[in-house]
């Protein structure tokens, strides 16, 4: 089992500081956001320098999170998506990172189911093919407030794709709030299709309330509606022994000391896992 600091949990920090925080608070990995990584590179940083810092702090990059809006299908938009996929795969290669997260947002929600699935399948295959020669895998995150929000939907598309470098991340909040997946479904999964776990809490949007992650996820573990013990037990039942990452998407908690956020996040997760 690897414990990886999630870049979202320390949102108001930079890529360099995150390595130090992870090292000093007990993690062995970092799930880095492209926003933080690219900002570092755009302002004088380099992959070589960053690899030196990874070695100094003995921290692996376990995932780059994320390539978003993978349902783009208009010719210019799709071309931009594939360029972004090439860029993030190159980043993964440079950082010796095995996994890139990918996710659709609401770009396809207006389409009929069959048309949406056809686009997703085509794009998933194209993205998988970009990463395959480099040994890069892709974890699909189904997003609660979109039409592509159930675990089974993702697993069906992976099966149809025939690609062996596509899997999923088990994100407690997204699966709970999306309403289309139960812990029992996770427990029955092939563990080899689980590329990561996002340990988190929160609630679904109330009736008539707009979806806003900064509102519905503004909860520390144990404060929201997610049945965390059930989701933890489901993941463990599969025999999965990979990366667990506490994802604290919480504007209230983001205002704490960065080191305290990381410590509380790993301590809270360990209480439930162990």
């Amino acid at each position: 089992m690897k414990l990886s600091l999630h870049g979202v949990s320390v949102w108001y920090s930079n890529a360099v500081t995150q390595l130090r925080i992870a090292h000093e608070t007990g993690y062995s990995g970092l799930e880095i956001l492209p926003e933080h990584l690219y900002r570092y590179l755009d302002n004088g940083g380099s992959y070589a320098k960053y690899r030196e810092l990874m070695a100094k702090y003995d921290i692996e990059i376990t995932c780059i999170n994320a390539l978003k809006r993978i349902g783009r299908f208009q010719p210019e938009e799709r071309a931009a998506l594939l360029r972004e996929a090439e860029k993030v795969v190159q980043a993964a290669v440079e950082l010796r990172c095995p996994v890139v997260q990918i996710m659709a947002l609401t770009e396809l929600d207006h389409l009929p189911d069959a048309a949406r699935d056809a686009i997703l399948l085509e794009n998933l295959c194209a993205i998988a093919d970009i990463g395959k020669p480099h040994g890069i895998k892709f974890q699909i995150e189904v997003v609660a407030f979109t039409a592509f929000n159930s675990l089974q939907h993702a697993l069906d598309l992976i099966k149809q794709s025939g690609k062996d470098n596509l899997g999923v991340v088990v994100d407690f909040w997204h699966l709970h709030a999306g309403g289309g997946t139960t812990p029992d479904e996770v427990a029955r999964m092939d563990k080899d299709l689980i590329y990561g776990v996002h340990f988190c809490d929160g609630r679904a949007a109330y009736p008539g309330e707009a979806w806003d992650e900064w509102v519905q996820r503004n909860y520390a573990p144990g404060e929201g509606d997610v049945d965390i013990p059930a989701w933890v037990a489901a993941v463990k039942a599969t025999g999965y022994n990979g990366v667990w990452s506490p994802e604290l998407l919480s504007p209230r908690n983001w205002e704490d000391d960065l080191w305290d956020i990381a410590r509380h996040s790993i301590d809270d997760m360990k209480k439930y896992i162990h």
Side-chain angles (χ1 to χ4, degrees), residues 222-238:
E223 294 179 346
D225 295 339
V226 176
D227 187 350
I228 294 177
W231 291 103
V232 168
V235 173
K236 293 175 75 171
T238 69

Side-chain angles (χ1 to χ4, degrees), residues 6-255:
H6 200 302
V8 160
S9 300
V10 285
W11 181 270
Y12 296 119
S13 61
N14 62 43
V16 170
T17 306
Q18 288 166 21
L19 292 174
R20 180 182 167 194
I21 294 172
H23 172 76
E24 294 182 356
T25 56
Y27 298 85
S28 61
L30 170 65
E31 183 162 336
I32 197 168
L33 309 188
E35 300 94 313
H36 291 150
L37 176 62
Y38 296 157
R39 190 180 68 199
Y40 165 78
L41 296 170
D42 289 343
N43 288 281
S46 71
Y47 285 120
K49 291 178 182 176
Y50 202 72
R51 286 194 298 269
E52 290 176 2
L53 289 168
M54 290 166 57
K56 173 183 176 181
Y57 291 116
D58 194 24
I59 294 294
E60 301 174 48
I61 302 301
T62 58
C63 178
I64 301 177
N65 180 351
L67 176 63
K68 299 178 181 179
R69 299 181 61 243
I70 61 168
R72 283 173 274 177
F73 64 96
Q74 298 295 347
E76 289 186 3
E77 290 186 343
R78 187 171 190 271
L81 167 65
L82 297 183
R83 287 194 299 271
E84 290 173 28
E86 294 274 6
K87 182 178 180 180
V88 76
V89 164
Q90 184 57 40
V93 171
E94 291 279 0
L95 299 181
R96 305 184 183 97
C97 170
V99 176
V100 171
Q101 180 164 303
I102 56 178
M103 56 205 295
L105 296 176
T106 57
E107 65 272 15
L108 294 173
D109 286 5
H110 63 290
L111 297 178
D113 291 353
R116 182 172 59 248
D117 283 359
I119 292 166
L120 282 171
L121 183 59
E122 182 180 17
N123 288 0
L124 285 169
C125 288
I127 293 167
D129 286 345
I130 289 171
K132 180 66 174 178
H134 305 284
I136 303 302
K137 296 182 177 183
F138 299 90
Q139 63 181 33
I140 299 169
E141 181 171 80
V142 293
V143 175
F145 50 86
T146 75
F148 184 41
N149 66 358
S150 79
L151 174 66
Q152 190 59 54
H153 197 171
L155 295 176
D156 288 345
L157 289 177
I158 291 170
K159 185 175 182 179
Q160 290 174 49
S161 76
K163 304 297 181 181
D164 63 1
N165 60 335
L166 291 176
V168 300
V169 57
V170 176
D171 182 294
F172 296 173
W173 180 79
H174 279 295
L175 295 179
H176 163 85
T181 304
T182 66
D184 286 344
E185 291 178 68
V186 171
R188 294 193 297 268
M189 278 189 67
D190 177 352
K191 64 180 175 59
D192 292 336
L193 289 176
I194 303 175
Y195 291 176
V197 174
H198 288 165
F199 174 94
C200 44
D201 205 344
R203 60 174 177 81
Y206 295 135
E209 180 186 31
W211 281 99
D212 183 346
E213 288 190 75
W214 288 31
V215 174
Q216 286 106 27
R217 302 187 67 173
N218 196 15
Y219 296 81
E223 294 179 346
D225 295 339
V226 176
D227 187 350
I228 294 177
W231 291 103
V232 168
V235 173
K236 293 175 75 171
T238 69
Y240 173 77
N241 195 38
V243 177
W244 292 69
S245 183
E247 184 179 12
L248 187 65
L249 200 163
S250 172
R252 173 171 54 84
N253 287 279
W254 285 341
E255 298 304 324

